[in-house]
Structures are given as C-alpha cells and as structure tokens.
Amino acid sequence: MDTIVDPKTDLFHTDYVEEETKFVCQNFASNYIPGIVILPKEFCDEFGEKMPERLLLLVPGKVVWNALFRKDRSWIEGLEKMMIYYCIKPYYMLIFEYVGGPSFNLEIYNPYGVEINYWISPKSDEALSADRSFFEFSDLEIDKLCGTLSHNVYNNGSGLYDLVVNQKHLRKKEYYKILKRKACRKLGLDESMEKLKLCFKNLVCKLKLIWDDGKVYFDRKWYALAKAWKLKEGDTVVFHMTGKKQKFEICVYDDDILSKCNKSGGGKKTGVMNWFKFVNESFLRGGQMEIPRVFMQSGSASFSEKVELITRDGDSSYAEFCPRRNFLTGMRDFLRRYGVDENDVIVFQYVKASTFAVSLFKFSGMEFKYNCESTIQSTTVNNVPQPDVIMISDSSVGVADVGMEEIGNEDPENNMEADFEEVEDINIVSFQVTLKRSHVDKKCHGLYLPKLLYSTFKSWRSGTNIRLLSDDDVYNVSVLRRNRQCRLGSGWTDFTVGNEFEEGQRIQMDYVHEKTFRVTLLE
C-alpha cells in the first residue's frame, strides 16, 4: 500500500550509509517479472546482509511503497501495485538510491529515455489488485517497447520521415494515401516497388503498394496495422532506415507523450526532468550522441554552444551542442577518462543553463566509482592522434567519374587539417569538408573519402551505391574505388545541385548507418 510521507516523521532518517549507493535495473523483456525487480549481484553482496526484509521505496511526489527483500533470490518483490500504478512495463528503467536501513529513493524512466509522470490520478487498492491484466503484454507491444528504446536510448530518434496521423489515415477503406511524393523521395520509394516492410524491431508487417500517376497508396492492411499499433489522430510515426531496401523500422510518439513524462520536473529543484542514454559503439567511436527527442520537445532546458558535464567526483568535462540535430559532440575524452564501455548507462540531471550533473552506471547496474585516474587511456593509436572529427579540405582532380583508374599520384587528402599517418583499422564516424570549386562545378569530379575511413569502405566496390541524407531528402550516389582510395561519383552532382552548395561552404558528413551518411551544412 502506498503512503504519503509526513515531513514531521523520520521515516527516511535512520541508519544512513556513509555515501548513498546508486544502481540501475534495466528490466529488459528477458528479465522482466511482474511485481519483482532483480537487484545487481554486487549490491546484494555488499549490502544484502545488512538490509531488513521489509523495505520502503520513496518515489517523487513523496509516495512510499512497501516491498519485500528476498535475500536468497537477490530481488525485491511485492511491487505489483506499484508497477500497475506507474505503468512500469518491459524496457522501463529504474534507478535506486540506497540511503540506509530499509530505505531507497526510486526514479522511473520510460523507453523514450526520460522520467515518467509521477503525478497521476490515485487508484484504489481494489482497482490495483483487480488490474492483473496489465501484465498480459502481447508480442507486438513488447516489440514496440523494444523499438522505442532502441531509437531513443540506444540510437537516434531522428528518422527519414515523420508521418503525423490524421483522421483519414484511421478510416476503414480499400486503400490509403499515406505518403506524399516528397515522403517517397525521402524514403527512396519509386514505382518499381510493389511492397513495403514495416516493423518496430523484429515483428515485420508487409504492405502492398499501389501506384497511380506517381502517387502511392497502401492496401487495406494499413487499417489493421493502425489498430494494432493503437494509432490516434495527432500521433507521429517516424520512419527509420534499416539498411535494407523497402524495409523501415518505425517509432510512434503519442500526441500526448509529454503528459506521460515528468515534464514539470517534479521532485527536481530546477523543474527539469532527467534523461538517459545507453552507450553504443557509434557513441564510443565518435564521441557524439543525440539528446532524446522527447526531452528536447519539453523545452524545459536551456542550451548554449558549450555544455558542462559534472560527475559525482566534482570534475567537469565539456561537450559541444549542435542545435540543428540536438547532438552533444566532442565527448570521446570524457568516455575514455572514466573507462566507459558499450552498453553502459549515462544519466543526465539538469543543474542550470547548459550544465548537467552526470551519473555513470555499468551495464551490470552499479554506479561507477569515478576513479578516473586509473581509467585514463591514451588518446593515441600507434602514436596517431584520434580527433572526434576529421577536418579535411578535399582536393579535386580533373577527371570524370569513369576515370578512377587514371588517377595519378595526387593525394586526395593533401590538405587535411591534422597530421595523420595512415591507419588501416581506425573507426571514424565524422569528417568535415570545405567545398572547393571542383566539388560544386557540375563536372562530376565527386568527393574523396578520407583514408582513415578505410575500415568502413574497404568492402565497397566501384558502383556500390550509398545514401546521402540531407535535411528531408535522400540522394543515391555510386562510389569509385582504387586500392585504398574511395570517391563519391555518379549522383554527387545531383546532390550538390539539389542542396545549392557553393564553393567555400563547409559540410559535415556523419556515417550514421551502413552505406549511409548524414550531411549537414555548417554555419
């Protein structure tokens, strides 16, 4: 039963530990158990003998939930009512802070990467007990939750195309006009394609495409799909690439998504909710990550060009904020300093304008010890510096696309703005190019990729098609290969003309997916 904390009592003021211990419970579908939260082994080894059987969990809003600690199982049970009350489903993350005795502070995060709304209408004990059907999750619902976490916490929430659902999309008909011509261009669809595959993560649905005078329609399966997805007017369906033609992963953002999040920052001195990210391979290699879409939609935080990150050891690190893409960049030194690995968790708490307190958690669940001196790693590989972004001013050659074999000894990277030696297997995800006349003169000179991307393009052959994403459009460009060189050829001119690029402008190219670059014009 939940209890409202009386400030006059000392309910949470007994047997404090010297320093609060934090850990996360990730609750993936594979370890989700109704009414039970599995604790990290390290925590139970250290505190299991000291903790009483009956526990108190304090949730923002001064609500206390009773729970039972099972020492023999290393878990907390008796949480069915709490899970139903806050709609804690698979892929929701919990952060526990042990303050001593029977007492924990608890925060709850949804798969969109932000805190839930703790201030919801109270339910009676009878209603909570009778609502056991809450735990009957369908395979599709679990797949949707998994996909939501993937695109907001592991990867990026920005996709190729955002579809805002309207009433016409939800009426039962024989066929549906869902995608306009511009949307088809963004998704790379043309009249030769007869089917489209959509999925949240693993469960794939096939839709038949009906073309008429350049317009595309979905068949009647769309209606069944919209019902299964529980789409409503005003919801946003974001299409993400998968690397496979005609197949897209989608993520749904409810029209009222912010009402389900801690938008007002309740329980926080700043009035701004927390958010978190899992560290993926791309983040480790490139030192850049996207701030969750829902957090940015809340509009509650203020950002400047430089963002300060303060860890619990009191040290500060700095990242750069890109407002166009809602990215934090330049974080590779920070990740190395604390020995952050793939799948670790980073939680951000807003302190003041462009400043966050950062908590780091290992994949096992326990918070870092922040002994950064022992985890500092060299920032060189074979004595070669590894910057977050490669800066190049690409050279040109006076040959057409068919002349790759005729290239002489000219080095396509002779104007690189850093002194790099040749490193074959280094992974770089971003580079910048200052456009020269040859890049934009419409004579098919193309653009060389830096040799430090060799591990990325070494499997490509001449004629391999890649995609360039720019704002809302997708451009297909074929590459030309020779030895350790790779040049963007046929299709590059269409790309530069379509974007009205000019000599002297600087662009950034981010390798965001297999054979796919996102291109951004820098101010």
Side-chain angles (χ1 to χ4, degrees):
M1 180 176 180
D2 59 290
T3 307
I4 303 299
V5 174
D6 184 350
K8 296 179 181 179
T9 69
D10 60 353
L11 183 63
F12 275 71
H13 292 77
T14 58
D15 299 326
Y16 274 107
V17 293
E18 291 185 3
E19 182 178 352
E20 292 83 356
T21 299
K22 289 185 176 182
F23 58 88
V24 299
C25 297
Q26 297 167 4
N27 286 315
F28 297 130
S30 58
N31 59 5
Y32 180 90
I33 306 174
I36 291 174
V37 174
I38 301 173
L39 304 180
K41 181 179 183 301
E42 299 95 313
F43 176 81
C44 293
D45 289 344
E46 183 173 355
F47 296 100
E49 295 298 327
K50 305 175 185 178
M51 286 199 305
E53 180 183 14
R54 296 187 177 277
L55 303 179
L56 301 171
L57 309 183
L58 175 63
V59 178
K62 296 183 178 180
V63 177
V64 178
W65 294 86
N66 297 313
L68 296 176
F69 172 54
R70 286 288 302 272
K71 189 182 306 182
D72 58 328
R73 298 291 183 90
S74 297
W75 70 34
I76 297 175
E77 62 183 35
L79 300 176
E80 289 87 353
K81 292 181 181 179
M82 187 188 80
M83 286 184 165
I84 295 171
Y85 187 85
Y86 294 114
C87 294
I88 300 174
K89 301 178 180 181
Y91 299 103
Y92 277 59
M93 187 180 78
L94 308 180
I95 297 183
F96 287 82
E97 181 183 37
Y98 183 49
V99 296
S103 306
F104 289 83
N105 294 323
L106 176 62
E107 293 176 343
I108 306 168
Y109 294 76
N110 60 35
Y112 293 97
V114 298
E115 285 184 278
I116 67 165
N117 180 8
Y118 303 105
W119 283 260
I120 53 182
S121 301
K123 300 178 182 178
S124 67
D125 283 353
E126 292 76 11
L128 292 174
S129 299
D131 202 9
R132 290 285 303 183
S133 61
F134 169 81
F135 296 111
E136 298 173 1
F137 307 113
S138 67
D139 291 341
L140 181 62
E141 184 174 7
I142 290 178
D143 198 53
K144 180 179 180 180
L145 291 165
C146 178
T148 301
L149 185 81
S150 174
H151 289 296
N152 289 275
V153 176
Y154 268 106
N155 300 304
N156 301 334
S158 56
L160 292 175
Y161 177 67
D162 288 10
L163 169 69
V164 179
V165 178
N166 60 44
Q167 288 184 346
K168 293 181 180 179
H169 297 152
L170 303 176
R171 295 172 184 164
K172 191 172 184 179
K173 298 185 292 186
E174 287 297 313
Y175 55 88
Y176 298 82
K177 185 181 179 182
I178 303 296
L179 302 176
K180 297 181 180 180
R181 284 190 173 95
K182 186 176 182 180
C184 291
R185 290 198 303 271
K186 293 179 184 179
L187 299 175
L189 302 180
D190 59 51
E191 295 189 40
S192 67
M193 301 175 181
E194 299 179 351
K195 292 183 179 180
L196 188 68
K197 297 179 181 180
L198 300 178
C199 65
F200 289 115
K201 195 61 182 176
N202 299 308
L203 302 180
V204 180
C205 177
K206 297 180 181 179
L207 292 172
K208 183 179 179 181
L209 300 181
I210 304 168
W211 294 89
D212 181 23
D213 192 26
K215 300 177 182 178
V216 66
Y217 299 85
F218 291 174
D219 68 355
R220 67 177 68 180
K221 285 186 179 179
W222 168 259
Y223 179 75
L225 196 61
K227 287 191 66 176
W229 290 352
K230 299 180 181 179
L231 294 183
K232 307 182 303 298
E233 183 179 4
D235 291 351
T236 300
V237 180
V238 180
F239 289 71
H240 296 268
M241 68 184 72
T242 64
K244 296 182 179 179
K245 201 172 184 180
Q246 298 174 243
K247 180 180 178 181
F248 300 91
E249 290 183 357
I250 61 105
C251 184
V252 176
Y253 296 84
D254 295 343
D255 181 45
D256 59 347
I257 181 63
L258 287 177
S259 69
K260 302 175 183 178
C261 305
N262 190 15
K263 180 183 178 182
S264 62
K268 304 292 185 293
K269 293 181 180 179
T270 59
V272 178
M273 62 183 169
N274 293 356
W275 54 279
F276 78 100
K277 294 286 283 192
F278 281 110
V279 177
N280 63 15
E281 182 184 5
S282 177
F283 185 12
L284 279 179
R285 287 189 285 120
Q288 58 183 10
M289 50 152 280
E290 183 187 52
I291 301 172
R293 175 178 179 139
V294 174
F295 180 83
M296 296 305 296
Q297 284 181 351
S298 70
S300 52
S302 173
F303 289 87
S304 59
E305 183 177 343
K306 182 172 289 187
V307 176
E308 183 178 7
L309 307 176
I310 306 173
T311 49
R312 284 187 68 183
D313 57 4
D315 281 358
S316 292
S317 302
Y318 294 89
E320 301 293 327
F321 174 63
C322 174
R324 181 171 180 173
R325 299 172 59 205
N326 294 328
F327 262 63
L328 293 181
T329 65
M331 296 180 64
R332 286 217 305 192
D333 286 344
F334 169 79
L335 298 175
R336 289 197 191 98
R337 182 180 189 185
Y338 291 101
V340 177
D341 293 324
E342 189 173 356
N343 295 320
D344 288 347
V345 181
I346 306 181
V347 179
F348 296 78
Q349 180 176 350
Y350 189 73
V351 176
K352 60 181 180 179
S354 210
T355 303
F356 290 87
V358 176
S359 298
L360 305 173
F361 298 87
K362 302 303 292 183
F363 181 69
S364 62
M366 297 303 297
E367 187 175 16
F368 277 47
K369 298 299 184 182
Y370 301 107
N371 183 17
C372 61
E373 292 184 2
S374 64
T375 58
I376 294 178
Q377 301 177 11
S378 171
T379 57
T380 63
V381 174
N382 297 332
N383 297 320
V384 181
Q386 298 183 52
D388 290 336
V389 178
I390 305 173
M391 308 287 288
I392 69 173
S393 179
D394 199 84
S395 67
S396 61
V397 289
V399 293
D401 284 347
V402 296
M404 190 66 176
E405 290 74 13
E406 301 172 10
I407 295 176
N409 296 323
E410 183 171 5
D411 184 356
E413 296 182 273
N414 58 4
N415 291 319
M416 189 175 293
E417 297 180 9
D419 184 18
F420 292 106
E421 297 177 10
E422 190 172 291
V423 180
E424 178 170 328
D425 293 323
I426 191 170
N427 288 312
I428 301 294
V429 296
S430 300
F431 63 96
Q432 295 179 4
V433 178
T434 299
L435 296 175
K436 300 178 68 175
R437 181 186 303 173
S438 59
H439 295 140
V440 295
D441 63 3
K442 306 178 185 179
K443 295 183 180 180
C444 302
H445 287 136
L447 172 79
Y448 282 97
L449 297 181
K451 290 180 181 178
L452 290 175
L453 278 172
Y454 178 74
S455 62
T456 298
F457 64 68
K458 65 181 179 181
S459 63
W460 301 354
R461 299 289 182 266
S462 289
T464 295
N465 285 315
I466 67 168
R467 289 187 286 190
L468 303 182
L469 312 181
S470 179
D471 291 333
D472 295 331
D473 296 317
V474 180
Y475 294 85
N476 293 309
V477 178
S478 63
V479 303
L480 295 165
R481 285 294 316 282
R482 184 188 182 192
N483 298 328
R484 297 172 62 84
Q485 294 182 345
C486 181
R487 181 159 60 92
L488 305 187
S490 178
W492 172 259
T493 295
D494 291 339
F495 168 71
T496 57
V497 171
N499 286 277
E500 300 180 349
F501 286 150
E502 299 177 355
E503 181 182 358
Q505 290 181 322
R506 173 163 288 189
I507 60 174
Q508 177 163 315
M509 300 186 67
D510 301 309
Y511 192 67
V512 296
H513 203 276
E514 182 181 0
K515 299 177 184 175
T516 304
F517 290 90
R518 183 176 295 279
V519 184
T520 305
L521 177 63
L522 302 178
E523 300 297 334

